[in-house]
């Protein structure tokens, strides 16, 4: 198709990318597993045409570059099970809520390469009642916040565990990061603009 980005092939082989992370490279990343096929469908549309459809019916839906970049960067340290980029194929409601469109994704499993795991396909969803899983979740969330532009960032699951306390690794200031309550079977992460409201701004959970 002329004028489109035809870089997706369902071969499992790496394809050329246009940046640190993009829809095509996310599809072919061996350390990213998609919980439902609908997420892959939305990414494939962006890969091939530059846009998809979101859960509100917007037919010019794109993902934030920073979201794709940081998911890609952290895939060198973790294998993740992803769900809910906000496509019409992987999100049932149109609400924005705490899932800013194009700027958020949910994790249903995290495996630290070299040891440690929370959730994943064989275990079902993440659980915050297991201290070993919480340690992995906390490390990923901390790495997520540390990798973002200092004016961006949100993490869900506030209150799911007393020991879940993500922070900026190697940095002293987490003021403005949005921490908020959410169901305790996954980890929500986002690249929201902290000046845009949403969530509870605080220095710790």
């Amino acid at each position: 198709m002329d004028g489109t980005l035809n870089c997706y092939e369902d071969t499992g082989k790496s394809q050329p990318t246009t940046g640190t992370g993009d829809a095509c490279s996310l599809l072919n990343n061996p350390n990213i597993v998609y919980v439902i096929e609908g997420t892959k469908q939305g990414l494939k549309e962006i890969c091939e045409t530059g846009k998809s459809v979101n859960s509100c019916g917007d037919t010019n839906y794109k993902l934030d570059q920073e979201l794709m970049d940081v998911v890609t960067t952290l895939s060198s340290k973790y294998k993740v099970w992803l769900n809910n980029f906000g496509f019409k194929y992987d999100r049932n409601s149109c609400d924005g809520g705490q899932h800013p469109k194009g700027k958020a994704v949910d994790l249903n499993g995290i495996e630290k390469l070299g040891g440690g795991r929370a959730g994943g396909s064989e275990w079902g969803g993440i659980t915050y009642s297991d201290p070993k899983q919480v340690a992995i979740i906390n490390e990923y969330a901390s790495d997520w916040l540390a990798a973002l532009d200092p004016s961006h960032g949100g993490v869900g699951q506030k209150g799911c565990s007393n020991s879940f306390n993500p922070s900026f690794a190697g940095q002293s200031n987490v003021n403005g990061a949005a921490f908020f309550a959410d169901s305790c079977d996954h980890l929500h992460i986002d690249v929201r603009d902290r000046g845009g409201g949403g969530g509870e701004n605080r220095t710790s959970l």
Side-chain angles (χ1 to χ4, degrees), residues 52-88:
S52 184
V53 184
N54 73 11
S55 59
C56 292
D58 179 359
T59 58
N60 191 35
Y61 189 54
K62 301 176 182 179
L63 298 180
D64 188 281
Q65 185 62 52
E66 187 176 23
L67 179 69
M68 294 188 289
D69 285 348
V70 181
V71 168
T72 299
T73 297
L74 294 187
S75 71
S76 65
K77 182 177 179 180
Y78 304 92
K79 181 176 182 178
V80 292
W81 283 254
L82 295 187
N83 181 32
N84 195 0
F85 271 118
F87 298 120
K88 74 171 185 177

Side-chain angles (χ1 to χ4, degrees), residues 3-172:
T4 61
L5 185 61
N6 292 311
C7 61
Y8 173 73
E9 295 179 10
D10 194 12
T11 62
K13 297 180 180 179
S14 298
Q15 302 296 319
T17 64
T18 57
T20 303
D22 56 31
C24 305
S25 62
L26 289 177
L27 282 165
N28 290 298
N29 191 317
N31 288 332
I32 298 176
V33 179
Y34 296 96
V35 177
I36 61 174
E37 285 296 314
T39 305
K40 293 174 69 174
Q41 182 176 346
L43 286 170
K44 183 177 179 181
E45 288 179 357
I46 293 180
C47 175
E48 294 180 340
T49 71
K51 59 185 179 180
S52 184
V53 184
N54 73 11
S55 59
C56 292
D58 179 359
T59 58
N60 191 35
Y61 189 54
K62 301 176 182 179
L63 298 180
D64 188 281
Q65 185 62 52
E66 187 176 23
L67 179 69
M68 294 188 289
D69 285 348
V70 181
V71 168
T72 299
T73 297
L74 294 187
S75 71
S76 65
K77 182 177 179 180
Y78 304 92
K79 181 176 182 178
V80 292
W81 283 254
L82 295 187
N83 181 32
N84 195 0
F85 271 118
F87 298 120
K88 74 171 185 177
Y89 318 110
D90 69 0
R91 185 171 178 83
N92 295 325
S93 60
C94 176
D95 66 291
Q98 294 288 3
H99 207 90
K101 292 179 177 60
K103 294 180 178 290
V105 69
D106 292 338
L107 276 64
N108 290 87
I110 305 167
E111 179 180 338
K112 185 177 179 180
L113 303 181
R117 183 170 175 175
S121 58
E122 292 87 351
W123 293 7
I126 282 173
T127 175
Y128 289 81
S129 61
D130 180 351
K132 291 182 179 179
Q133 289 199 46
V134 171
I136 296 297
I137 299 164
N138 191 68
E139 185 172 353
Y140 186 96
S142 296
D143 285 347
W144 175 264
L145 291 172
L148 296 179
D149 180 290
S151 65
H152 295 168
V155 176
Q157 285 61 52
K158 174 180 176 288
C160 287
S161 169
N162 290 333
S163 57
F164 179 53
N165 184 29
S167 61
F168 283 103
Q171 299 183 40
S172 60

